[in-house]
Amino acid sequence: MNGYGCTLKKEEQAVFALRGLYEQYGYAPYKMSKFEEYDLYVRNKEFLISDGVITFTDTDGKLMALKPDVTLSIIKNSRDEAGCVQRVYYNENVYRVSEDAHCFKEILQTGVECMGDIDDCTLYEVLRLAAESLRRIHPKAVLDISHLGVLEDLLAPLALSAEGQAAVYRCVGEKNAHELQAVCDTYGIPDPTADTLRRLVGLYGPPAAVLPRLADLLGETPAVAQLRRLTDAFAGSAWAEMLRIDFSVVAAGRYYNGIVFKGFVAGSPDSVLSGGQYDKLMRRMGRRGKAVGFAVYLDRLGRDQEAAGYDVDALLLYKDGCDLAALMAAADTLRQEGTLILQKEIPQKLTYRRLYAFEDGEVRPL
Amino acid sequence: MKEMLNIALPKGRLGEKVYAMFEQAGFPCPSIKENNRKLIFENQEAGVRYFWVKPSDVAIYVERGAADIGVAGKDILLEYRPQVYELLDLDIGKCRMAVAAPAGFRDDPNRTLRVATKFSRIARDYYAGQGRDIDIIHLNGSIEIAPILGLSDVIVDIVETGTTLKENNLEVTETVVPISARLIANKASFKFKNEPIEKILQQMAVLTER
């Protein structure tokens, strides 16, 4: 990676690679302040990944929050422009409760948002960017795609309670077919629909394998047709092998619609990328346009990066009164092979690969 | 070298039953039956590596990806809500999460109910569903003595045969949720090791239907 690969941490390498990618597709960088009025998050609480928000009172008495999310701020500052699509990307720190640590964390997040006249072309572009983002992070990656319309079409005629709907979504999200049956019994979901839901949970695999089975199950509904159009467009591309259809990708909250997706890379136990279409959130925030985007969770990367096992490549010992210019010249030469530190004595806790001594104007390996 | 599938098994009687199912499903590892104190066993030919862990830790191993799949009780899944796929009800290790109280206990709905339990979240959710005001007393063991010593009014705990309750003059008053062992999978492993996981799932499903 342009000579920086060995120095940058995994998440820094990802930011570096992804920024170039997004700019290549014409996405403009979006920079924002660390704070936002708390009210924005209270009004759109269901859109947030975690409930917790760090708040403080500003000097003018306004209750402010350290940003737990980026998308809401971008929408707030977006403009409606008929026939156009506004494309932005961001690299921002957000502050929210980590799902792993169950406490507040500063999380470096990068992602893209498209707002405006979103059509299949834009959706495909965003899916492609998501797939390429994953590929740039790790050569072994999977992009799971789902369409919320598939579940919505099945549940709409049933007029389920919010509680019932949440129970169905939870079971689908967990691939929990056995409990889904119990939920269907509890909420009086008719057997044919319950059976379709259970089969839907069992569907997983490349689009070419899953879509024919999906069409047999549901017919060529608009949601199925859109899934087919978008995944067909990948045929023969470098990303085709990465795609899977998976209906367990059920975005939380009532703000998403249409295509939703999650990305996984080998070595990270949970998804590292998450995104989808969120027209409903745009409506709620008074925008006429549609929107789609995704976030890459950089905090979930890096665990598979091999630890160096030592603090510096080389330790060069010198004595008082040595020729400083010659010492520095010798150190600079050694630095061409890696990191080097100068010391008069070996520090107790320092680990190194090579040890040298500078004596009589010469470097001697020890 | 064949990519190994890491399987976390719950230590104890349930784990032995579960291993027998994996063996029947075509994923044997004979060394696991050797009488020693080893915790990790593998069969390169079958592509499986088993390890014994504390039953309540199985879900953590799977959620964090140290294990690709594992078997955990529904009680643990409800209490800790790990981000995993719950693929199959194995229909073994069956018991129930129940509310138990001293024989003849009369619940006064006007008073806050004091509930002793190891399963705080399950208890909280259960009573929240009823709109009941409760005071959770989290204990780590010997839950049954809490009402006897006046520490709580009732307990929420796992009931298998009911013998321990009976011997402590307690009786089940309500069933919270039925419990059994579940096959769970790490979300990323499900993508990257899909073939062996699907194979195990299908074989185990056949076994549970018998």
Side-chain angles (χ1 to χ4, degrees):
Chain A
M1 193 175 286
N2 298 341
Y4 297 112
C6 58
T7 311
L8 296 177
K9 286 195 285 185
K10 191 97 174 174
E11 58 267 38
E12 290 166 339
Q13 287 179 24
V15 168
F16 189 71
L18 300 182
R19 193 167 59 190
L21 172 68
Y22 304 148
E23 286 187 356
Q24 207 178 9
Y25 277 70
Y27 285 69
Y30 192 92
K31 191 70 199 153
M32 59 193 96
S33 79
K34 283 197 182 336
F35 317 129
E36 187 74 75
E37 279 189 45
Y38 178 61
D39 188 46
L40 177 69
Y41 305 115
V42 173
R43 278 185 280 122
N44 301 290
K45 210 172 160 213
E46 286 176 49
F47 184 75
L48 300 177
I49 293 174
S50 76
D51 284 345
V53 179
I54 302 174
T55 58
F56 65 97
T57 308
D58 210 345
T59 49
D60 59 1
K62 268 187 192 156
L63 189 58
M64 304 295 285
L66 258 75
K67 285 197 163 100
D69 166 85
V70 176
T71 308
L72 289 171
S73 302
I74 294 179
I75 299 175
K76 199 181 96 174
N77 296 308
S78 70
R79 59 192 184 280
D80 275 321
E81 208 176 323
C84 292
V85 177
Q86 190 187 351
R87 291 174 166 85
V88 296
Y89 78 90
Y90 59 85
N91 295 308
E92 292 291 333
N93 280 317
V94 292
Y95 304 85
R96 60 170 173 250
V97 178
S98 153
E99 281 178 10
D100 296 338
H102 305 289
C103 60
F104 279 103
K105 291 266 179 198
E106 183 182 54
I107 296 165
L108 179 59
Q109 189 173 303
T110 191
V112 305
E113 307 292 351
C114 288
M115 281 156 284
D117 192 10
I118 305 295
D119 57 6
D120 276 0
C121 175
T122 320
L123 286 172
Y124 175 60
E125 178 184 287
V126 170
L127 283 173
R128 225 164 92 136
L129 276 176
E132 181 57 21
S133 298
L134 292 170
R135 215 166 62 131
R136 290 196 181 192
I137 292 168
H138 200 290
K140 200 172 172 189
V142 163
L143 182 66
D144 283 348
I145 305 178
S146 176
H147 196 303
L148 290 178
V150 169
L151 262 184
E152 282 168 9
D153 290 347
L154 278 170
L155 299 182
L158 305 176
L160 275 183
S161 63
E163 196 188 337
Q165 220 165 58
V168 170
Y169 274 80
R170 180 182 52 77
C171 289
V172 173
E174 288 174 355
K175 292 187 180 290
N176 191 340
H178 49 276
E179 229 160 79
L180 185 59
Q181 182 58 56
V183 166
C184 289
D185 293 343
T186 305
Y187 292 97
I189 296 175
D191 285 347
T193 312
D195 186 52
T196 308
L197 284 169
R198 273 203 324 276
R199 285 166 190 261
L200 209 59
V201 167
L203 286 182
Y204 179 77
V210 171
L211 286 173
R213 290 165 66 192
L214 186 64
D216 286 347
L217 201 59
L218 304 172
E220 196 72 4
T221 63
V224 175
Q226 191 178 31
L227 259 182
R228 189 188 300 283
R229 275 196 308 279
L230 291 170
T231 52
D232 278 357
F234 280 95
S237 74
W239 306 283
E241 293 294 310
M242 296 168 60
L243 300 191
R244 302 285 183 279
I245 301 287
D246 186 353
F247 293 100
S248 77
V249 182
V250 279
R254 54 196 160 100
Y255 297 138
Y256 285 95
N257 57 291
I259 295 289
V260 286
F261 46 94
K262 272 187 192 297
F264 296 82
V265 295
S268 295
D270 205 348
S271 60
V272 298
L273 181 150
S274 178
Q277 205 174 339
Y278 51 91
D279 304 345
K280 291 180 189 172
L281 179 62
M282 292 287 276
R283 292 292 95 71
R284 189 182 161 93
M285 292 183 69
R287 299 296 185 278
R288 288 191 302 276
K290 298 176 176 180
V292 60
F294 63 81
V296 182
Y297 306 118
L298 298 164
D299 61 312
R300 295 183 186 173
L301 307 176
R303 289 298 171 102
D304 61 339
Q305 193 174 28
E306 211 173 289
Y310 47 84
D311 299 319
V312 289
D313 288 314
L315 171 62
L316 178 58
L317 300 173
Y318 67 96
K319 288 186 176 138
D320 282 334
C322 69
D323 179 342
L324 287 182
L327 172 67
M328 287 304 164
D332 286 345
T333 306
L334 289 172
R335 277 198 185 101
Q336 287 172 7
E337 290 167 25
T339 53
L340 176 134
I341 190 167
L342 290 166
Q343 292 283 359
K344 283 196 282 191
E345 298 287 339
I346 301 176
Q348 261 188 3
K349 287 187 174 173
L350 186 83
T351 56
Y352 46 84
R353 280 205 302 174
R354 295 183 302 275
L355 180 64
Y356 300 97
F358 186 76
E359 289 169 347
D360 305 324
E362 298 281 326
V363 172
R364 194 166 56 84
L366 295 176
Chain B
M1 203 173 112
K2 194 172 181 177
E3 195 172 31
M4 304 291 276
L5 190 71
N6 296 308
I7 305 172
L9 297 175
K11 263 190 220 167
R13 253 186 319 152
L14 176 65
E16 283 162 22
K17 269 190 195 174
V18 169
Y19 169 72
M21 289 181 82
F22 277 104
E23 194 178 48
Q24 272 184 285
F27 296 87
C29 184
S31 60
I32 207 168
K33 290 179 174 170
E34 289 166 10
N35 191 15
N36 58 36
R37 307 189 102 188
K38 271 174 72 177
L39 295 172
I40 302 178
F41 304 88
E42 65 179 49
N43 179 354
Q44 297 248 0
E45 209 179 312
V48 285
R49 182 182 295 121
Y50 292 99
F51 37 90
W52 296 115
V53 298
K54 196 174 168 186
S56 56
D57 289 342
V58 169
I60 297 168
Y61 278 84
V62 175
E63 183 182 33
R64 299 282 183 131
D68 299 308
I69 59 172
V71 173
K74 184 67 185 175
D75 50 329
I76 299 299
L77 301 179
L78 287 171
E79 184 63 21
Y80 299 107
R81 294 189 197 162
Q83 294 295 308
V84 294
Y85 292 138
E86 190 182 318
L87 299 177
L88 188 65
D89 182 350
L90 295 176
D91 215 25
I92 56 172
K94 287 170 96 168
C95 52
R96 58 181 165 151
M97 184 70 64
V99 180
F105 169 73
R106 186 190 152 265
D107 184 8
D108 178 357
N110 295 317
R111 294 179 61 179
T112 299
L113 188 68
R114 296 173 306 156
V115 182
T117 185
K118 239 194 300 191
F119 301 94
S120 301
R121 186 179 240 172
I122 295 175
R124 196 172 290 123
D125 287 352
Y126 177 67
Y127 284 107
Q130 299 180 352
R132 184 72 204 266
D133 185 28
I134 61 163
D135 178 11
I136 293 270
I137 300 156
H138 188 93
L139 297 176
N140 294 305
S142 304
I143 316 291
E144 295 83 2
I145 64 169
I148 299 168
L149 299 177
L151 180 63
S152 73
D153 299 316
V154 298
I155 65 169
V156 168
D157 204 9
I158 290 174
V159 178
E160 214 172 323
T161 58
T163 311
T164 315
L165 292 181
K166 215 175 206 173
E167 286 175 0
N168 287 288
N169 198 30
L170 299 175
E171 58 189 20
V172 170
T173 55
E174 296 154 76
T175 294
V176 177
V177 63
I179 303 291
S180 58
R182 310 293 164 101
L183 178 68
I184 57 173
N186 172 266
K187 289 188 173 182
S189 299
F190 188 84
K191 324 291 170 189
F192 296 109
K193 298 182 181 177
N194 187 254
E195 207 183 302
I197 292 177
E198 287 279 12
K199 197 171 160 194
I200 285 177
L201 175 60
Q202 280 168 21
Q203 298 289 335
M204 297 287 244
V206 171
L207 291 173
T208 54
E209 277 162 18
R210 274 182 197 166

